[in-house]
């Protein structure tokens, strides 16, 4: 097996009036720990400690993941798929066998090999049972000496793991991104007719293929996205609004809810685009959504409701959280870059509760047809922020308010 490994370093850009300054942050590499479980807790925790001290993220399925709907075998194999490195610890016992007759750790090793993950093997210096001896022999035949280490005791295992993982990561963490993942998607956002439109753009910190192109092209994937989008705790889409047939545009899956022309019930357009690299673009109309008796509504023409923006951003974040929980259950992707942009503001002002407060409105002057990004550069957030995006939304609203005041 040829070992292929790359850890990509995302770029954070800071701008001044003359140049762009780039700083680089590193996505922690995920290391799957494979071993027998019974009677091996001390060694497994030693491996975790060594991995974390080396700057990696340890993945121990039995200790870290709650009960899964899938079988324990599929759970472990799926978790391996979410990792960058496979680490196997073999003591005196070979352990349990799968229905195929192979050892559990042996099957995990073969799965990691098929995925072309770099493999680190640690062999305890003890006598082995027949299964353990056979596996140790096979591993010794396969694994280059650089990646095979003997140890005695938990303390030595921890030190050897730290040394090996650190050396591997130091030789691999050397590629830098040369572009902003988000900025290019904010220049020309989708527009809903003459309405003020909102686009949220988000990308995982790791730049890699996240969604298989065959999955994006499958009707099942699109159907699942619609299920998530209509879910009660998301409500990005509405059941009462017509949808266009999901389609592929180059390497993007696009699902649209038509804006429609029913002014009495409100017009609620949604355009969702999901890319192979995990980038998600969600466009919605920020005006024209409220129920009215006719097509002319002063509040809608002169203002953008801050409450509407907050609700749309919250629904978009909830959708993205549900999407990644569904498609990345073992949390390979822990951090994301995000930004949002308003377009088609025209002479509208940002106002709280515009309908309930007043019958006359201040006209905002200046050219605001250009896109107004919430942030000068994309913000890096944790996966937990997808579930609780309140502070991020408040930051975006505050920046838009400042921008709007500056254009008066």
């Amino acid at each position: 097996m040829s070992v292929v490994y790359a850890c990509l370093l995302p770029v954070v850009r800071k701008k001044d009036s003359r140049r762009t300054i780039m700083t680089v942050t590193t996505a922690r590499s995920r290391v799957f720990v494979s071993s027998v479980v019974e009677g091996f807790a001390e060694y497994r925790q030693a491996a975790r400690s060594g991995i974390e001290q080396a700057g990696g993220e340890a993945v121990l399925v039995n200790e870290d993941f709650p009960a899964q709907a899938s079988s324990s075998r599929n759970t472990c194999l799926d978790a391996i798929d979410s990792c960058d490195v496979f680490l196997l610890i073999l003591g005196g016992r070979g352990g349990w066998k799968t229905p195929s007759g192979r050892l559990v750790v042996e099957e995990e090793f073969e799965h990691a090999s098929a995925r072309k993950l770099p493999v680190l093997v640690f062999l305890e210096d003890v006598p082995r049972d027949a299964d353990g001896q056979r596996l140790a022999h096979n591993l010794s035949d396969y694994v280059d000496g650089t990646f095979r280490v003997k140890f005695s005791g938990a303390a030595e295992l921890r030190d050897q793991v730290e040394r090996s993982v650190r050396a591997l990561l130091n030789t691999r963490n050397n590629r830098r991104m040369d572009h902003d993942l988000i900025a290019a998607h904010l220049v020309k956002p989708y527009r809903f007719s003459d309405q003020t439109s909102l686009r949220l753009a988000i990308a995982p910190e790791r730049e890699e293929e996240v969604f298989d192109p065959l999955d994006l092209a499958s009707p099942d994937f699109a159907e699942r996205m619609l299920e998530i989008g209509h879910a009660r705790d998301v409500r990005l889409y509405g059941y009462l609004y017509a949808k266009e047939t999901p389609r592929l545009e180059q390497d993007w899956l696009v699902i649209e809810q038509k804006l429609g022309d029913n002014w009495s019930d409100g017009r609620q357009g949604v355009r969702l685009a999901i890319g192979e690299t995990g980038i998600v673009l969600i466009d919605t109309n920020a005006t024209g959504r409220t129920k009215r008796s006719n097509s002319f509504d002063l509040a809608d023409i002169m203002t953008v409701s801050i409450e509407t923006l907050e609700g749309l951003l919250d629904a978009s974040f909830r959708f993205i959280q549900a999407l990644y929980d569904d498609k990345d259950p073992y949390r390979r992707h822990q951090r994301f870059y995000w930004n949002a942009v308003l377009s088609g503001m025209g002479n509208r002002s940002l106002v709280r509760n515009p309908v309930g407060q007043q019958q006359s409105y201040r006209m905002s002057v200046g050219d605001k047809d250009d896109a107004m990004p919430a942030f000068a550069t994309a913000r890096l957030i944790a996966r937990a922020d997808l579930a609780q995006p309140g502070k991020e939304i408040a930051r975006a609203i505050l920046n838009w308010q400042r921008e709007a005041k500056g254009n008066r």
Side-chain angles (χ1 to χ4, degrees):
M1 178 190 72
S2 59
V3 176
V4 179
Y5 177 80
C7 182
L8 304 183
L9 308 182
V11 171
V12 180
R13 295 192 174 199
K14 299 180 181 179
K15 296 182 179 179
D16 62 20
S17 59
R18 295 166 295 175
R19 67 188 189 278
T20 296
I21 304 169
M22 296 194 304
T23 60
V24 179
T25 60
T26 305
R28 288 200 300 163
S29 296
R30 290 165 59 86
V31 183
F32 183 92
V33 177
S34 174
S35 75
V36 298
V37 175
E38 186 178 352
F40 231 59
E42 185 180 11
Y43 286 164
R44 289 173 65 83
Q45 291 306 315
R48 182 199 295 275
S49 178
I51 292 166
E52 292 177 347
Q53 289 176 21
E57 178 185 352
V59 176
L60 289 77
V61 170
N62 289 73
E63 292 86 345
D64 297 341
F65 292 103
Q68 300 288 322
S70 60
S71 69
S72 58
R73 173 183 178 274
N74 289 338
T75 296
C76 290
L77 298 184
D78 289 344
I80 292 170
D81 291 341
S82 76
C83 291
D84 303 290
V85 180
F86 180 82
L87 188 152
L88 190 153
I89 309 168
L90 181 61
R93 297 182 296 112
W96 294 99
K97 290 185 178 180
T98 67
S100 68
R102 291 173 294 175
L103 298 171
V104 171
V105 292
E106 184 177 21
E107 191 170 82
E108 292 172 351
F109 166 75
E110 291 175 355
H111 186 77
S113 300
R115 299 284 295 177
K116 294 182 170 58
L117 296 183
V119 174
L120 301 175
V121 175
F122 297 86
L123 303 175
E124 187 179 11
D125 192 9
V126 294
R128 305 183 210 286
D129 61 20
D131 287 331
Q133 184 58 39
R134 177 182 60 80
L135 180 57
H137 177 76
N138 292 342
L139 293 172
S140 298
D141 283 347
Y142 169 76
V143 182
D144 185 279
T146 303
F147 295 101
R148 187 183 68 250
V149 179
K150 288 187 177 181
F151 71 92
S152 297
E156 185 177 1
L157 174 62
R158 181 196 62 231
D159 294 342
Q160 294 283 17
V161 167
E162 179 184 357
R163 185 178 301 111
S164 299
V165 171
R166 188 184 302 278
L168 177 61
L169 300 189
N170 285 344
T171 60
R172 304 296 179 175
N173 294 349
N174 54 16
R175 180 176 174 183
R176 298 188 177 192
M177 294 181 183
D178 58 1
H179 63 282
D180 188 326
L181 287 173
I182 297 298
H185 299 290
L186 303 180
V187 178
K188 292 183 178 180
Y190 187 82
R191 288 285 301 275
F192 289 92
S193 183
D194 59 346
Q195 303 299 316
T196 293
S197 300
L198 169 68
R199 164 170 285 187
L200 183 145
I202 193 164
E205 183 184 29
R206 298 172 181 271
E207 190 184 32
E208 60 189 19
E209 182 183 284
V210 176
F211 302 118
D212 189 308
L214 295 177
D215 287 340
L216 285 181
S218 71
D220 288 344
F221 190 100
E223 182 178 351
R224 180 58 181 147
M225 295 305 97
L226 286 168
E227 288 176 357
I228 292 174
H230 284 95
R232 183 181 297 273
D233 56 348
V234 174
R235 293 187 175 177
L236 180 65
Y237 292 110
Y239 284 109
L240 300 179
Y241 301 92
K243 313 294 187 298
E244 294 188 358
T245 302
R247 64 185 183 276
L248 288 178
E249 293 185 1
Q250 297 180 339
D251 57 350
W252 294 84
L253 170 65
V254 177
I255 305 177
E256 286 193 54
Q257 177 172 285
K258 295 181 179 181
L259 183 63
D261 55 6
N262 188 347
W263 294 96
S264 61
D265 289 333
R267 307 168 75 194
Q268 298 188 13
V270 179
R271 185 180 189 274
L272 168 68
I274 302 175
E276 295 174 6
T277 58
I279 299 178
V280 180
L281 308 176
I282 300 178
D283 295 287
T284 52
N285 60 302
T287 54
R289 304 182 72 87
T290 57
K291 295 182 179 182
R292 62 180 75 169
S293 58
N294 57 67
S295 62
F296 181 84
D297 184 273
L298 190 60
D300 221 37
I301 294 173
M302 303 301 297
T303 66
V304 176
S305 166
I306 291 175
E307 290 86 351
T308 296
L309 292 179
E310 291 170 338
L312 292 173
L313 288 172
D314 187 65
S316 297
F317 274 115
R318 290 200 305 269
F319 175 86
I320 294 163
Q321 177 205 6
L323 164 63
Y324 272 87
D325 284 351
D326 187 76
K327 300 301 180 183
D328 180 34
Y330 300 100
R331 298 179 174 268
R332 172 174 176 78
H333 299 284
Q334 293 283 354
R335 302 200 298 181
F336 298 80
Y337 285 102
W338 89 280
N339 206 340
V341 62
L342 286 173
S343 59
M345 282 288 291
N347 293 321
R348 295 182 177 98
S349 299
L350 290 175
V351 179
R352 282 202 175 275
N353 190 21
V355 176
Q357 286 190 356
Q358 56 197 55
Q359 297 300 317
S360 62
Y361 303 93
R362 175 184 297 177
M363 177 179 291
S364 180
V365 298
D367 182 7
K368 291 193 292 181
D369 284 331
D370 292 338
M372 293 172 53
F375 308 103
T377 58
R379 284 181 56 80
L380 184 63
I381 61 174
R383 185 156 173 164
D385 293 323
L386 299 177
Q388 297 181 328
K391 289 184 178 180
E392 291 298 315
I393 293 174
R395 283 176 179 268
I397 297 295
L398 178 60
N399 285 346
W400 280 323
Q401 288 177 308
R402 289 172 174 171
E403 179 73 13
K405 288 180 180 179
N407 285 336
R408 287 181 179 176

